Amino acid sequence: SEASPTSAPESSSTAENSNSCRTTLPIKIPEEPILAGSEDVESLEIMSERAVALLESRPITGIAFRLAGDEWLPWLPSEDHRLYKAFHKLQVNAFGQDYAEQKVLLERLHEAANEDVYVASFDAIHRDDDRLSYTLWIQGITCSLPRAQFIVFAYEDQTYSGLIPWEHVVAAIGDLMQDEDVYPVRFRVTEFPSEQQRAELLKNALAF
């Protein structure tokens, strides 16, 4: 199936943040879940600080979840919330660990199947007291891309583009990205965007 922004692990502050979903947020730690009301800023701040300390030993995940009906969904405060960066950094770190473990397994599978696929890493950079996730789409080879906030084009001459928002890439060239039906989600790309497509996308790029 074609790539879709809604399949991303990076959760957004849309449907799952509606008023109908106001319950609690657990960051799951073995034997010690942390709960806070989604509108209780003071408790959320304590929650994020405790999570950082507890995740240093035997973590399950640093991702916060919100109960929407009968389903727990990944949650982030809105981007203008003063605790957004704290929770977002926890989430990026958690997905980084998950993708790193998945990368090892997928590389073994591709090697055993004699498949020439580059399993791209889920990386992050520090920017404005936050962590921005990105992945490399490399020219000339088949890549398996993790769902990150940004995509960076890596050219055959070993130069790189800026950070292009994932949603913009999907909107423009999502037909080149095939869902691999794995978790964490990945997208297979066998064709590099044309020069014209790249030029249009780079209008929205951030410095890398």
Side-chain angles (χ1 to χ4, degrees):
S1 61
E2 292 183 1
S4 167
T6 60
S7 60
E10 294 276 350
S11 60
S12 60
S13 300
T14 54
E16 63 267 36
N17 288 340
S18 66
N19 290 337
S20 63
C21 304
R22 290 187 182 180
T23 49
T24 56
L25 300 167
I27 289 184
K28 297 192 290 184
I29 309 293
E31 301 178 358
E32 194 167 356
I34 311 171
L35 301 177
S38 61
E39 306 298 327
D40 186 343
V41 176
E42 183 178 353
S43 294
L44 288 171
E45 185 169 23
I46 295 171
M47 176 184 184
S48 66
E49 293 172 351
R50 287 189 62 200
V52 170
L54 288 168
L55 283 166
E56 295 178 358
S57 62
R58 298 187 62 231
I60 293 179
T61 182
I63 300 170
F65 290 82
R66 188 174 195 172
L67 184 62
D70 296 328
E71 185 178 7
W72 287 101
L73 299 174
W75 178 88
L76 281 176
S78 60
E79 291 189 15
D80 60 353
H81 195 288
R82 70 180 181 86
L83 294 176
Y84 169 79
K85 291 180 179 179
F87 278 91
H88 185 251
K89 283 188 284 188
L90 284 166
Q91 187 182 85
V92 169
N93 290 342
F95 279 120
Q97 179 178 352
D98 290 346
Y99 273 119
E101 294 173 356
Q102 181 196 57
K103 176 180 170 70
V104 173
L105 297 175
L106 290 177
E107 287 175 338
R108 291 174 182 170
L109 287 173
H110 292 315
E111 183 178 4
N114 198 28
E115 294 179 328
D116 189 12
V117 178
Y118 172 70
V119 183
S121 296
F122 178 93
D123 292 311
I125 58 173
H126 289 279
R127 186 72 58 87
D128 298 327
D129 196 33
D130 196 2
R131 285 176 63 79
L132 305 182
S133 63
Y134 71 93
T135 190
L136 297 181
W137 184 337
I138 301 177
Q139 186 175 18
I141 62 175
T142 297
C143 299
S144 172
L145 305 179
R147 186 359 181 144
Q149 288 175 275
F150 297 92
I151 285 177
V152 174
F153 294 135
Y155 304 116
E156 291 177 330
D157 63 0
Q158 298 185 351
T159 60
Y160 301 89
S161 73
L163 295 157
I164 307 167
W166 180 277
E167 290 81 3
H168 295 176
V169 176
V170 170
I173 54 174
D175 58 322
L176 300 181
M177 306 167 69
Q178 300 301 313
D179 191 340
E180 295 190 49
D181 194 24
V182 296
Y183 184 85
V185 296
R186 282 183 176 270
F187 297 86
R188 183 74 58 91
V189 293
T190 59
E191 179 183 347
F192 202 64
S194 68
E195 183 176 353
Q196 181 178 356
Q197 289 170 327
R198 299 196 308 269
E200 188 65 27
L201 286 166
L202 287 171
K203 293 179 181 179
N204 299 307
L206 303 178
F208 181 42

